[in-house]
Amino acid sequence: MSDYGVFGDEYYVNMNLSTEMELPQGRESVLHYFEQVRKRYPTMSNFYSREKGEFVLEEEKDGGAYRWVSTEPKRINSGMVNPDSFADACEQHHAILEMVPYELSISPLDCESLSVMLGFDFACKGNHNEILHEAIGIAPGLDKFTNLPYGKMLSNEPSIQFSLDDDCRTQCRISFETRTTAFQIRSGEFSEEPLSVYMMVRRYDSLGANESYASEFQRLSGLCRDLVDEYLIESVLQPLQTAIAIR
């Protein structure tokens, strides 16, 4: 499968490259890089800076789907919100990773980590922690605590991390973010905040002599796609959709 938009109210595909050394911070270097990105994607025209040396270039957000890229002192980021397909987002990230060795002088040795992340947001009212419990369960050793008298679940954000190779350099992490507060549970007044699911596949350490950032991203994005298709959809995303729908 490639179009994951049907499994959440919003979804996004991000790429992050963390470096060991700081990136060029000079005005010319930064602007030149973003100009090259804009040449590739002319609709990305909103450029601005944030605190601590972060610069962002993005499309207009009015349509609900948009591209963005950013730089931090030791990190390159690229993202696409609600893309038409997973492949469309990966094409952008691949293009960025082909640029950065030349535009920002990032050597294959300089890789601290390279990752691809899929995020899914579910808009829902009610106690996110209970919804997540209903959808995917809880560790058996903790399940009895959910039946305590007067007990209401205030936090339930499970995560699991596992290796995808023998030397543990390639890893996958699945995590959740609930946004229900104790005040909302106490008052019974819930806002429609998103409940989020994240799957990240990350590779650590420098690249080898025959590796490139672009080719390594292809490997990681392929692993991420396979894990979503074979496990995440059936075990997490669809059960969450069902648990939210019956409320």
Side-chain angles (χ1 to χ4, degrees), residues 58-243:
E58 64 186 17
E59 290 179 329
E60 294 290 346
K61 300 178 181 179
D62 297 344
Y66 61 94
R67 304 173 187 270
W68 63 272
V69 296
S70 71
T71 63
E72 301 172 45
K74 297 178 71 175
R75 192 161 74 162
I76 297 288
N77 310 296
S78 174
M80 198 167 180
V81 178
N82 296 322
D84 288 337
S85 71
F86 181 70
D88 285 348
C90 288
E91 185 278 330
Q92 172 184 314
H93 305 331
H94 188 273
I96 295 298
L97 289 170
E98 286 186 322
M99 290 183 196
V100 294
Y102 306 100
E103 307 301 340
L104 294 173
S105 302
I106 301 178
S107 162
L109 288 175
D110 202 14
C111 180
E112 188 273 326
S113 67
L114 176 63
S115 64
V116 55
M117 189 273 284
L118 264 72
F120 297 84
D121 286 350
F122 298 83
C124 57
K125 281 191 173 181
N127 189 334
H128 288 183
N129 306 293
E130 291 180 350
I131 292 171
L132 201 54
H133 180 208
E134 293 167 9
I136 66 170
I138 198 167
L142 300 175
D143 197 42
K144 285 188 176 181
F145 287 99
T146 64
N147 298 316
L148 286 172
Y150 310 110
K152 293 181 180 180
M153 196 175 297
L154 298 178
S155 178
N156 180 29
E157 295 183 334
S159 66
I160 182 173
Q161 189 163 339
F162 49 91
S163 66
L164 298 173
D165 54 20
D166 290 338
D167 58 9
C168 299
R169 288 187 177 180
T170 306
Q171 301 176 13
C172 177
R173 185 173 188 266
I174 302 164
S175 59
F176 302 83
E177 184 175 2
T178 59
R179 294 178 174 85
T180 300
T181 66
F183 172 79
Q184 291 173 350
I185 295 172
R186 185 169 61 247
S187 66
E189 297 179 0
F190 298 96
S191 58
E192 196 168 291
E193 296 289 333
L195 191 167
S196 300
V197 179
Y198 306 113
M199 171 177 278
M200 177 182 290
V201 175
R202 173 176 286 170
R203 175 251 168 83
Y204 291 91
D205 295 337
S206 301
L207 301 187
N210 298 319
E211 295 177 314
S212 70
Y213 288 115
S215 62
E216 184 62 4
F217 177 78
Q218 282 187 312
R219 183 180 75 88
L220 297 176
S221 61
L223 288 170
C224 190
R225 181 195 60 233
D226 291 345
L227 289 167
V228 172
D229 289 351
E230 295 177 24
Y231 300 100
L232 193 72
I233 290 173
E234 182 178 356
S235 299
V236 175
L237 302 182
Q238 289 177 334
L240 262 178
Q241 285 181 311
T242 301

Side-chain angles (χ1 to χ4, degrees), residues 12-32:
Y12 32 94
V13 185
N14 297 345
M15 178 278 295
N16 306 103
L17 169 59
S18 296
T19 60
E20 295 288 355
M21 298 179 65
E22 288 198 358
L23 302 172
Q25 296 292 299
R27 179 183 178 87
E28 279 190 27
S29 298
V30 171
L31 289 175
H32 177 72

